[in-house]
Amino acid sequence: MSATAAPAKREFDIDRLFLALCLAVPLVALLLFFAYPLATVVLRSFTQGDGSIGFGNYVRILNAASFWRATVNSLVMSLSTTAAALICGLIVAYAVHRCRVPGRALLIGAVSLPLLAPSLVQGLGLIFLLGRNGIITKTTGLEINIYGFWGLLIANGLYALPQAVLIIGAALRAADARIYEAAEILGTSGLRKFIDITLPNIKFGLLSAGFIVFTVTITDFGNAATIGGDYAILATEIYSQVVGQMNFNMGAVVGILLLLPTILAFYLERVASQRQFGSVSDSAVPLSPVFTPKRDIPMAAASWLVALLPIVTIGIVVYGSFVWLWPYRFDLTFRHYAVKVAGGYDPLWTTVQISIAAGVIGTLLLFAFGFALQRLPRHWVKPIYFVCLLPAAVPGLVLGLAYIFAFNVPSIPLYALYGTATLLAICNVMHYWTQGFLTTMTGLRQVPPTLEETASCLGANLPRLVSDVVVPSMAPTLISVFFFMFMRSMVTLSAVIFLVTASVSVASVSIMRLDEAGFTSQAAAFATCTMAIVVAASLLMRVSLWFLGRKSLA
């Protein structure tokens, strides 16, 4: 009797230990590398010059004309970009999902190009096109001042366009064909169907896309640093306070104030997203569009016109990297790829290593956390789930600044991480934690419960269940999370701009430094190499997913 009871107890202990580790390790990482750094930012924002605690920093900032100018500029820029991105995003998404247009996959691919590059590449492309030595400026002889509001609006619009298209497209897919068939029977025109049926049905999707674009725009630093000129915004104000004036406490104040609109926008986006997809009926019949020349031909022309903007903007950067002397001598050459300043290509290979580490660390932590949360009581899961959503609301600049305050303290053990590639990888994991977490949870929900029940009945413990059932079932999701972390870490700038050192730098910072130093063609070459690696990673991900799909069918 006792001989049979002992193995059962050991089995139970193994399961409890495994589950405790799956929960504790990611939770401790989230507390140490997200909650704790943010708490230090809050504390530093209240720390005055003499070391006392008070509201003096806030009073100084709120009384500064430069802060209010940057705030107004940020709001005007973000709202303008949101309006432009929503209009262009709706055109492309409607053409792809509600029309019969040629090359729909290519259209989505063209619009998604900005996701493969650091945000500042859009600004760099506009400089090649419309800058003082831009090809359009030189060809037409027009005096175009692309530096400032209009250049930043175009660059930010291109950078935010993919998010708008994806979110609006998801809302358009969630349609019930029966409603449109009824309207067709009643003789309703196409325009009336769009106004009376389509727009009301996707209103929450439009709101969700709008809040996402607003958040992305108001927190972006790369385009503002490249093409913003004298048009000051909150992101560049933080950078100026920290790097230009070495005033970390005032930078913390601006960072906290920047958090307010982003947290509000993030909250409203989550509400809009839940209402959009919570209102979809399970019995809805998918809508299959029929070719209508009066609608589809103009929509195809308009959508490809929108898609042409990112193609030209990014394509001109690649082309400019091979031109001998822009815009005077257009012989093709590889001489700009012999980068010898800003550390040469060392930052690029460092970025690859950081991105691989971020992908591995992020995937392991998120999978373990998601697996543990599925087995916790619901009243415990809700608050933890909410905490996991918060990183998406924190601007990269604020997170990077928080890491300076939290880990550049010689008296704490974690100081050993400061200035290392490991800390940059961890910062990237926390920066993109929410997106990876939501993807992982979706994948875990798709694991058939019957497989887990069968494995448990056969006596499999939790580690065996994970290795033999859960991981094989959700391997495509894990691969997607890894490559998402890898690709975003390759192109991020704002989260790591404060953490790079002379010995540890990253590709996006090198591109910015080269552009600032006047080596525009070398910056284009560096950007092209970075994009090539991201494109290769994207192709490798697709091949891996295709191989897994073939294997599962076999």
Side-chain angles (χ1 to χ4, degrees):
M1 185 79 173
S2 61
T4 58
K9 188 174 188 301
R10 281 200 304 271
E11 198 77 10
F12 176 74
D13 289 342
I14 291 174
D15 287 351
R16 289 189 63 182
L17 178 62
F18 182 77
L19 200 60
L21 287 174
C22 286
L23 179 64
V25 174
L27 191 57
V28 169
L30 200 59
L31 292 174
L32 280 180
F33 298 106
F34 177 70
Y36 165 62
L38 282 186
T40 63
V41 172
V42 175
L43 179 62
R44 286 295 291 266
S45 71
F46 289 103
T47 304
Q48 301 180 111
D50 58 0
S52 62
I53 303 297
F55 290 91
N57 294 331
Y58 285 89
V59 172
R60 286 176 57 193
I61 282 290
L62 294 176
N63 285 331
S66 60
F67 167 76
W68 289 109
R69 183 172 61 252
T71 301
V72 171
N73 287 349
S74 293
L75 292 175
V76 171
M77 173 57 61
S78 299
L79 291 173
S80 302
T81 303
T82 299
L86 284 181
I87 293 171
C88 294
L90 180 58
I91 290 172
V92 175
Y94 192 86
V96 169
H97 298 288
R98 294 294 178 86
C99 303
R100 304 285 292 183
V101 299
R104 286 186 287 182
L106 290 176
L107 187 59
I108 290 293
V111 171
S112 301
L113 282 175
L115 296 176
L116 305 177
S119 63
L120 52 81
V121 169
Q122 281 71 236
L124 196 61
L126 289 175
I127 291 173
F128 274 107
L129 289 169
L130 299 168
R132 297 181 183 92
N133 288 318
I135 189 169
I136 295 178
T137 306
K138 288 293 183 181
T139 303
T140 61
L142 297 174
E143 291 293 333
I144 302 173
N145 183 16
I146 197 63
Y147 301 92
F149 175 81
W150 292 107
L152 195 52
L153 175 63
I154 298 171
N156 283 338
L158 292 174
Y159 182 58
L161 182 62
Q163 286 92 330
V165 171
L166 293 174
I167 296 171
I168 297 172
L172 286 169
R173 284 198 302 270
D176 193 341
R178 295 172 298 182
I179 300 176
Y180 290 88
E181 290 172 1
E184 189 76 27
I185 294 171
L186 293 173
T188 308
S189 66
L191 180 60
R192 294 308 309 177
K193 283 189 286 188
F194 177 77
I195 295 174
D196 296 340
I197 301 175
T198 302
L199 284 181
N201 284 343
I202 67 169
K203 60 184 177 184
F204 292 116
L206 289 171
L207 286 173
S208 180
F211 292 129
I212 285 290
V213 172
F214 179 87
T215 303
V216 166
T217 305
I218 202 170
T219 60
D220 180 64
F221 172 74
N223 284 323
T226 304
I227 204 170
D230 295 331
Y231 193 82
I233 59 173
L234 287 174
T236 53
E237 184 68 15
I238 296 175
Y239 187 76
S240 173
Q241 290 287 345
V242 174
V243 176
Q245 304 177 35
M246 297 301 290
N247 196 336
F248 290 91
N249 292 351
M250 300 301 285
V253 173
V254 180
I256 293 297
L257 295 173
L258 180 59
L259 267 176
L260 300 179
T262 56
I263 289 177
L264 177 61
F266 173 75
Y267 170 74
L268 294 174
E269 184 277 327
R270 296 305 306 170
V271 172
S273 179
Q274 290 170 3
R275 292 196 177 186
Q276 171 65 45
F277 299 106
S279 62
V280 179
S281 172
D282 293 334
S283 61
V285 178
L287 181 64
S288 180
V290 179
F291 179 69
T292 308
K294 289 175 62 176
R295 177 198 65 195
D296 295 350
I297 293 176
M299 288 302 299
S303 59
W304 274 108
L305 187 62
V306 172
L308 194 62
L309 292 174
I311 292 175
V312 171
T313 305
I314 292 179
I316 201 69
V317 172
V318 177
Y319 176 64
S321 70
F322 293 102
V323 170
W324 184 275
L325 183 61
W326 188 274
Y328 305 104
R329 182 177 171 185
F330 287 92
D331 304 353
L332 298 183
T333 177
F334 284 98
R335 75 186 190 115
H336 301 303
Y337 285 82
V339 179
K340 297 179 181 178
V341 296
Y345 282 106
D346 288 345
L348 182 62
W349 307 127
T350 300
T351 307
V352 172
Q353 295 169 13
I354 290 171
S355 301
I356 292 174
V360 172
I361 294 170
T363 303
L364 290 175
L365 288 178
L366 290 166
F367 171 73
F369 209 25
F371 182 79
L373 288 181
Q374 278 196 320
R375 284 151 180 81
L376 284 182
R378 187 173 179 82
H379 63 274
W380 284 104
V381 173
K382 278 191 173 183
I384 296 175
Y385 197 94
F386 173 75
V387 172
C388 287
L389 296 180
L390 289 180
V394 178
L397 279 174
V398 177
L399 187 62
L401 185 60
Y403 272 46
I404 295 179
F405 298 149
F407 304 115
N408 190 17
V409 182
S411 60
I412 65 171
L414 290 174
Y415 175 72
L417 289 173
Y418 191 75
T420 66
T422 302
L423 189 63
L424 269 70
I426 294 172
C427 182
N428 286 332
V429 171
M430 293 298 130
H431 190 200
Y432 299 109
W433 179 277
T434 300
Q435 296 91 328
F437 174 75
L438 293 174
T439 304
T440 302
M441 294 303 295
T442 301
L444 282 166
R445 293 189 191 103
Q446 294 173 352
V447 177
T450 52
L451 289 179
E452 295 191 25
E453 293 171 3
T454 302
S456 299
C457 291
L458 293 174
N461 55 28
L462 284 184
R464 188 70 181 270
L465 176 69
V466 167
S467 62
D468 294 353
V469 177
V470 180
V471 169
S473 297
M474 62 174 300
T477 300
L478 296 177
I479 288 175
S480 299
V481 171
F482 169 81
F483 279 103
F484 167 77
M485 288 284 184
F486 176 86
M487 290 188 287
R488 297 317 298 163
S489 297
M490 282 294 305
V491 300
T492 189
L493 172 64
S494 59
V496 297
I497 185 67
F498 292 138
L499 301 178
V500 296
T501 63
S503 57
V504 180
S505 188
V506 294
S508 55
V509 175
S510 293
I511 297 169
M512 188 182 78
R513 299 280 188 250
L514 287 166
D515 179 57
E516 288 176 342
F519 299 104
T520 309
S521 295
Q522 290 193 356
F526 215 106
T528 301
C529 292
T530 304
M531 289 187 286
I533 292 173
V534 177
V535 170
S538 179
L539 293 175
L540 182 59
M541 178 184 71
R542 293 179 182 276
V543 170
S544 301
L545 294 175
W546 175 83
F547 178 77
L548 282 176
R550 289 287 301 270
K551 189 176 179 182
S552 63
L553 290 175

